[in-house]
Amino acid sequence: MFRPHIDGRYRWPLALRFIKGAIHGAIILPVLLHAAFAGLIVTLDHKVQDLGLPASIIPSLSIVVGLMLVPQFFPHLISSPPQLTMCKVFRNQTSYNRFWDGRNYLTVIITSVRNLTRSFLANSHRHPLADRHETDSIVRVLIAILYATKNHLRAGWGADIIPGNSINTSTGNANLTSEYGDLLPRGLYGCDERGLGLVLQLTFFVEQYIKKGFDKGWFHAPQASQMQAQLNGLVDAYGRMETIRLTPIPIAHLIHQKQVLALFGCVLPFALVDQMDYWAIPVVSLVMFTLYGIDGIGSQLEDPFGYDRNDIKMDYIVEDIRSEISVLLEEWKRAGEQGYDIFVGRSQGSQGGSNRDAGNG
């Protein structure tokens, strides 16, 4: 399970957060520009001539803007007028679906790694030492698949991505600090420059181990078949995450959406100036803050595998899974060395015996 590294007790209330995790920094410029334009229109309306437009134009524009942008965050608008009910229908819903699907596919990969690790260790802790070394290596490969998936989705196909190196979270470039180099098979060379991702490359080692285990009688046919299904599910989820990463929202939609949103913000002061006078400036600012904020959230969620604060916390998740599997490996090694079953008995003298005796009693 993913364990957050920040204690929620020390966070500001969400309504008072304007920097960390907030979208304000990305939208402050367009909101200020619309506020300035509204101030210009109000001033000209007072000093030059009447610039007001009929207020009835707002519902018509609201329908257009609503069709471009997401209502799932505003279910209470269902009983409102049609122009508000349709508010924000496409963008954020599509973006959040990408975020949610990406997180679910990551869970599929993690579940497959957990299941394969459990099966490999549970069926091999009494094997000869040479075979146990091979099992230890293949479990490390499973952990490496998680790191390779994370780096591949974040860094694309860049030549700077060297297998075994971590990715700098601020620049996206490879660091010299080894992140998972000790997990990779000895002598492994990457084929990224030829178009083969490291994730798919590592699954070949897992496939070969399953085949070898079946041939040696470590796994019976149904077990081997289930392991194969887990591996296939892992590759399938990896491919679906790739699809999310490499298939952005169509540029034509993004261009038209930005243009319609800007047009709405420019026409709004003309429709409000007669009734609200100078109050039109803060009202326009508030409306555009809301619309640009929701649009900005959608932009961040389109690629949920990046480094933004609102993206999937892949670094923490992968590190947690590595810690979890490392504990399994330690217990598996201890059980093999001491001749115990996994998680039964300890090598701490009488403590293990007293625990077993208490259980039998």
Side-chain angles (χ1 to χ4, degrees), residues 116-172:
L116 289 170
T117 298
R118 186 196 67 232
S119 297
F120 292 165
L121 297 183
N123 288 279
S124 63
H125 72 286
R126 298 196 185 279
H127 286 173
L129 186 60
D131 292 336
R132 288 169 52 79
H133 282 317
E134 187 171 0
T135 301
D136 178 85
S137 298
I138 205 64
V139 170
R140 293 177 180 274
V141 167
L142 289 173
I143 303 175
I145 287 176
L146 296 175
Y147 284 99
T149 299
K150 178 188 70 171
N151 287 352
H152 179 74
L153 292 170
R154 285 180 167 180
W157 328 106
D160 291 337
I161 307 310
I162 304 170
N165 286 356
S166 63
I167 305 301
N168 188 299
T169 57
S170 60
T171 66

Side-chain angles (χ1 to χ4, degrees), residues 143-309:
I143 303 175
I145 287 176
L146 296 175
Y147 284 99
T149 299
K150 178 188 70 171
N151 287 352
H152 179 74
L153 292 170
R154 285 180 167 180
W157 328 106
D160 291 337
I161 307 310
I162 304 170
N165 286 356
S166 63
I167 305 301
N168 188 299
T169 57
S170 60
T171 66
N173 295 324
N175 287 329
L176 296 178
T177 304
S178 177
E179 185 179 33
Y180 64 104
D182 58 322
L183 302 175
L184 298 172
R186 184 174 301 177
L188 175 71
Y189 59 89
C191 299
D192 287 324
E193 70 282 357
R194 292 190 284 164
L196 175 61
L198 182 60
V199 177
L200 186 59
Q201 192 176 352
L202 292 176
T203 59
F204 274 80
F205 294 93
V206 182
E207 176 98 20
Q208 291 169 354
Y209 179 84
I210 295 174
K211 177 65 167 60
K212 182 175 181 179
F214 175 72
D215 293 339
K216 285 193 170 185
W218 299 346
F219 320 122
H220 51 68
Q223 271 184 309
S225 177
Q226 177 127 15
M227 294 175 190
Q228 186 67 53
Q230 290 287 340
L231 186 61
N232 290 341
L234 185 154
V235 175
D236 178 72
Y238 161 69
R240 293 176 185 271
M241 294 172 79
E242 255 189 339
T243 300
I244 295 175
R245 171 68 174 81
L246 300 176
T247 311
I249 302 295
I251 187 64
H253 174 82
L254 296 180
I255 292 174
H256 191 62
Q257 173 184 290
K258 295 293 186 183
Q259 291 174 346
V260 169
L261 191 56
L263 176 64
F264 178 78
C266 291
V267 173
L268 192 58
F270 293 95
L272 298 179
V273 64
D274 285 344
Q275 295 181 350
M276 296 189 173
D277 203 62
Y278 281 99
W279 281 103
I281 300 174
V283 171
V284 168
S285 301
L286 180 60
V287 171
M288 299 316 296
F289 170 79
T290 302
L291 294 178
Y292 274 109
I294 295 174
D295 179 67
I297 294 171
S299 297
Q300 285 195 1
L301 296 183
E302 281 177 16
D303 180 9
F305 310 118
Y307 306 101
D308 292 331
R309 194 175 183 88

Side-chain angles (χ1 to χ4, degrees), residues 279-334:
W279 281 103
I281 300 174
V283 171
V284 168
S285 301
L286 180 60
V287 171
M288 299 316 296
F289 170 79
T290 302
L291 294 178
Y292 274 109
I294 295 174
D295 179 67
I297 294 171
S299 297
Q300 285 195 1
L301 296 183
E302 281 177 16
D303 180 9
F305 310 118
Y307 306 101
D308 292 331
R309 194 175 183 88
N310 293 314
D311 288 332
I312 298 172
K313 303 296 186 291
M314 297 184 71
D315 292 307
Y316 295 150
I317 295 172
V318 171
E319 288 298 331
D320 281 344
I321 299 303
R322 179 173 186 169
S323 299
E324 179 181 283
I325 295 180
S326 295
V327 172
L328 291 176
L329 269 176
E330 291 174 4
E331 289 296 315
W332 172 77
K333 290 178 181 178
R334 178 199 58 79

